[in-house]
Amino acid sequence: MTNGADIRRQLMADLNRDYLAYLAPMGTREDNHHGSISEQSPQSNSTPLTSNERDILAAGGARFENVRGTHTAEIAQSRRQELQNEIGAMIREAMTLAEASQWLSLPQEVIRGLATKESPEFFAFEAPDGTLLLPGWQFTNQGVLPHLSEILNRLSPELSVLIIHRFMTRKHPDLELPSGIVSPRDWLATEQDPNEVLMLASDL
C-alpha cells in the first residue's frame, strides 16, 4: 500500500497539470474532478493564460492589475507558481485517510462518513486522482479542532479548498489574543469564543 508521504509527493509532482482543480468551488468538485480541469494535458508555465484559467486564478486570489509592460507569459508563470507553491504547502500538511485514522484512533470508514455527510464533522477533499485528503489545520494534539463541525457548516459550498485553507490558517485582524493576532485555527485551538470565527466564516 502506498504511504501518505508517497501520495503527497505524487500529488505535488502533478500540480503543474492539476492545480486548477484545487481552486474549483467545493460544491462542484464531485462533478468536476474527473472533468476537463484534472484531465487536461500538462501546461507549460510559459504559456499565456486562457480566459477560463484567468477567471479561476482570480477566484483563487491572483491579481492581474498593474501589469502593463510585462509579457503575458511572465505574468502567467508568476501567478501559477505562486498558487502552486501555496497548494503544495497545503498538500504537504494534509493527512490521508489512513493517517487520520491512526491519529484519531477511528476506523477509516467512520472518518470518511463523517467527512462526506451533509453536515460534515471533518473537512476533507478529493485530490484530482481521487485521493481523500484531510487538511492538517483541523487536527490538534488532543485530536480534533474544537467547534470544527460548527465552522464547516457555516462555510459556503462555493468556496474552494484553497480559500478555506487560507481562511483557517491566516491571521485575522479581528482575532486578537494578548500574544497578538492569530488565525481562526489558532483561535479555536486555544478555546476562545467560537462565535467570533463563526461570524467570519459566515461572511466569506
Side-chain angles (χ1 to χ4, degrees):
M1 179 181 294
T2 306
N3 64 37
D6 288 339
I7 290 171
R8 286 185 289 272
R9 191 177 300 114
Q10 185 59 55
L11 291 173
M12 292 177 64
D14 292 338
L15 270 180
N16 189 50
R17 179 192 67 199
D18 291 337
Y19 73 102
L20 289 179
Y22 298 92
L23 306 181
M26 286 291 292
T28 64
R29 286 178 59 81
E30 185 173 348
D31 295 332
N32 288 345
H33 93 235
H34 290 301
S36 59
I37 288 178
S38 61
E39 292 179 353
Q40 64 190 7
S41 58
Q43 291 209 19
S44 166
N45 276 343
S46 63
T47 58
L49 294 174
T50 66
S51 59
N52 182 54
E53 284 182 304
R54 189 183 179 96
D55 290 345
I56 297 175
L57 289 172
R63 297 291 178 262
F64 296 95
E65 64 271 15
N66 301 323
V67 293
R68 285 182 298 179
T70 303
H71 193 276
T72 302
E74 295 174 353
I75 301 167
Q77 182 177 6
S78 175
R79 300 302 185 261
R80 287 182 183 128
Q81 193 59 57
E82 289 171 5
L83 285 167
Q84 287 178 26
N85 290 344
E86 191 174 359
I87 294 166
M90 179 180 70
I91 291 172
R92 282 194 299 272
E93 296 166 2
M95 290 189 186
T96 63
L97 198 57
E99 290 170 330
S101 173
Q102 184 175 11
W103 185 266
L104 300 171
S105 299
L106 287 174
Q108 293 187 36
E109 58 269 22
V110 171
I111 296 175
R112 182 187 294 274
L114 292 173
T116 57
K117 68 178 187 175
E118 186 173 354
S119 298
E121 296 184 31
F122 293 110
F123 180 58
F125 64 94
E126 281 194 13
D129 69 350
T131 299
L132 195 70
L133 294 176
L134 295 95
W137 52 256
Q138 66 195 305
F139 302 109
T140 69
N141 291 335
Q142 289 71 44
V144 181
L145 190 68
H147 306 286
L148 176 63
S149 180
E150 297 170 66
I151 302 301
L152 296 180
N153 285 287
R154 287 289 183 94
L155 295 172
S156 167
E158 296 303 309
L159 298 174
S160 70
V161 172
L162 183 59
I163 293 299
I164 294 171
H165 175 79
R166 286 174 176 172
F167 169 69
M168 291 301 299
T169 59
R170 290 185 175 181
K171 294 180 180 181
H172 196 286
D174 289 347
L175 303 176
E176 187 169 6
L177 298 176
S179 58
I181 295 171
V182 297
S183 67
R185 187 266 177 205
D186 290 344
W187 180 270
L188 295 170
T190 53
E191 300 184 354
Q192 305 301 314
D193 182 4
N195 288 316
E196 298 294 332
V197 178
L198 287 168
M199 288 189 292
L200 295 175
S202 296
D203 290 340
L204 275 182

